[in-house]
Each structure stands twice: as C-alpha cells, then as structure tokens.
Amino acid sequence: MIDVSLSSSKRYNVAVIMLSTLLMLTISGCQKAPDADSVTDDTVITTQTTPASPAQNEQQVNQSVNSQVLTILALGDSLTEGLGVANDDNYPAQLEARLQEMGYNNVKVVNSGLSGETSSGLVNRLDWVTQTKPDITILTIGANDAIRGIDVAIVEANIRTAVKHLQDNGSEVILGGMQIYDNLGSDYVQSFAAMYPKIAKEMNVTLIPFFLDGVGGDPKLNQADAIHPTSEGYTIIVNDNILPILQPEVEQMLVAKTNKTSLPAPVVTN
C-alpha cells in the first residue's frame, strides 16, 4: 500500500508541472509586441534610410542656388539706357531675359542708364542708385566724357570714386572698358583706353575689356548715329561680351548666398 501511494503522488506532481508549463506557454504566446509608446530608453529601434544619390544631391543644390534672389545694377549712360531701341531691346532687359533662360530664375537686372551721363554726373547720383542694394554692378561710363574732351585724370578719379562707393555698399563691380575714336589725338585715346584695366587691377574689380567689342564701328549693328547699338548689336554685347565675364560672378554670388542662408543657427551657452 505504501508503494502504491507514493507512485500516485509522483504521477500527480508530474501532471501539475506539465499543466503549469503549458499554461505559461499559452500566456506567453498571446502577448502583443511592444508599440512605440511602450518602448523604454533601453530599447534600440533600428530604421533603414536610403541615401540620396549624387545626382539627387546635385539637383537639390542647384535648386537651392537658383532660388536665391540676385540684383544686378546696370549703371551707365545711354549705352546702358538703350537710347533708340525698345525697352525690351536694351542690354539690361536682354541680359535679364538671357539669364532667366539659363535657369537663373530670380536674377533681376535694374537699368540705371542715363543718356548724356558723364562720370561726374554719375558720382552725384550714387547714393540714389545704391538704394537698390545691388549684389553686382556693371559699370559702363566715360564715353560722354571723351566726347567732351574731359581730362582723363578727372574721368579716372570719378570712376574710382564710383567703384569705391559701390564696393563700400556691398556690391561686386564689373567695369566695362571703353575705347574712343582717334579724333581726339593718339595720346588722349591711348590714355583713355589704358585707364580701365588700370582701375580694374588696382581696385580688384572684374573687367570687360571692351564693352562694344564686335559691335562698335559696324554699321549693321549700330543706329544711324554710328554710336548706339541696335537691338541685334545689344544681343551680341550681352552674349559675347557680358555673359562670359558675368556668369562666373553670378555663380559665385549665388553659392555664397546659399551657404549663408543654410548655416546652422549659432549655439548659445550660458
């Protein structure tokens, strides 16, 4: 009887253990996976992201660059104003249209040319024109001074004053070089032509060697006065004389603006 009682007791204990194990497995299988709200600080969640391709990165940079607003001031005399041609045919208007065709959607070219303007007159209106806060200024002045035979030293001093004023107001200057006819004497003509590269070198400004290159003196590209370009003449000036000099400046300026706006906010520490 004793042996039978012990045997029954063992069988009972085994059954209890098996039942408890089955119950624990069932409860464990019914539990839900933890959601985001229940994740503790000790839980590590791994996410996978697809890195942008080089082409996508370049596209994003280009879009950011082209979204920047850039103001170009066209400053000068009747050659800038566009005397004798329609408003859409002067060089500032054609330049803005051409830049936008090239993808510079937010570049604005302000026409601040004034017929009959001399270098002295231009200096007197610098405070007014710089209210446009130009990023880049294309300065083309001196032709009317030469027509009047004004001393080259005076013209040079005025141009230097204009360049410094523009630079002090945060504008990059592109200086348009000019050449004149020989009727004023070879000494004057040579001194006048040499003035522009001299100023550009000493004042660290970009130079268009001859603003009217390929147009000046060509009857087909100038109006009846043989001085002012036609619409077709201005197209050549924009495409061949201005843009090759201007575009690198525009690119550099837009990248600088983009980098400036994308800089992280400064960290303030107590």
Side-chain angles (χ1 to χ4, degrees):
M1 293 294 292
I2 295 175
D3 291 338
V4 173
S5 175
L6 290 173
S7 178
S8 298
S9 176
K10 288 180 180 180
R11 287 197 299 271
Y12 174 77
N13 290 337
V14 170
V16 170
I17 292 172
M18 291 178 64
L19 182 60
S20 299
T21 302
L22 180 61
L23 181 61
M24 291 176 65
L25 290 173
T26 302
I27 293 173
S28 175
C30 293
Q31 289 180 337
K32 296 181 180 180
D35 54 22
D37 294 335
S38 62
V39 175
T40 65
D41 293 338
D42 296 331
T43 304
V44 178
I45 300 176
T46 303
T47 58
Q48 294 182 349
T49 58
T50 303
S53 67
Q56 290 174 326
N57 287 333
E58 182 178 357
Q59 183 180 11
Q60 291 174 354
V61 170
N62 290 338
Q63 289 175 346
S64 179
V65 168
N66 290 338
S67 67
Q68 296 295 324
V69 177
L70 191 74
T71 300
I72 299 173
L73 177 65
L75 181 59
D77 49 33
S78 58
L79 294 174
T80 297
E81 183 184 33
L83 182 66
V85 299
N87 290 336
D88 292 339
D89 291 334
N90 57 56
Y91 104 70
Q94 289 198 44
L95 178 60
E96 180 176 288
R98 188 73 184 91
L99 286 169
Q100 292 182 356
E101 288 175 1
M102 296 168 66
Y104 302 105
N105 300 322
N106 291 330
V107 172
K108 181 181 180 181
V109 181
V110 178
N111 189 337
S112 189
L114 182 62
S115 292
E117 183 77 290
T118 62
S119 60
S120 297
L122 185 139
V123 168
N124 290 332
R125 63 186 178 102
L126 284 173
D127 287 335
W128 172 258
V129 298
T130 51
Q131 291 182 33
T132 59
K133 298 187 182 301
D135 298 289
I136 299 173
T137 299
I138 303 174
L139 175 61
T140 308
I141 196 69
N144 289 315
D145 295 82
I147 291 174
R148 292 164 173 79
I150 297 175
D151 193 309
V152 173
I154 295 175
V155 182
E156 180 177 343
N158 287 333
I159 294 177
R160 287 179 181 272
T161 298
V163 169
K164 185 177 187 306
H165 188 282
L166 291 163
Q167 291 175 330
D168 290 346
N169 281 270
S171 182
E172 294 290 332
V173 178
I174 296 177
L175 182 61
M178 295 297 298
Q179 297 176 15
I180 57 175
Y181 298 117
D182 293 338
N183 58 332
L184 293 174
S186 59
D187 289 344
Y188 187 96
V189 170
Q190 292 174 7
S191 298
F192 187 87
M195 169 180 63
Y196 295 94
K198 178 183 177 184
I199 294 172
K201 180 179 180 180
E202 294 179 359
M203 300 197 73
N204 193 29
V205 300
T206 304
L207 177 69
I208 300 173
F210 180 31
F211 182 78
L212 297 175
D213 190 28
V215 176
D218 188 337
K220 297 179 181 179
L221 299 174
N222 286 275
Q223 300 173 47
D225 60 9
I227 296 175
H228 298 94
T230 61
S231 173
E232 293 76 15
Y234 277 125
T235 300
I236 293 175
I237 290 171
V238 167
N239 290 331
D240 296 349
N241 301 345
I242 297 177
L243 276 175
I245 302 297
L246 174 65
Q247 187 178 6
E249 298 290 331
V250 169
E251 285 284 347
Q252 184 177 356
M253 184 71 66
L254 289 174
V255 169
K257 280 177 166 281
T258 301
N259 292 339
K260 184 177 180 179
T261 56
S262 62
L263 288 175
V267 177
V268 179
T269 58
N270 293 328

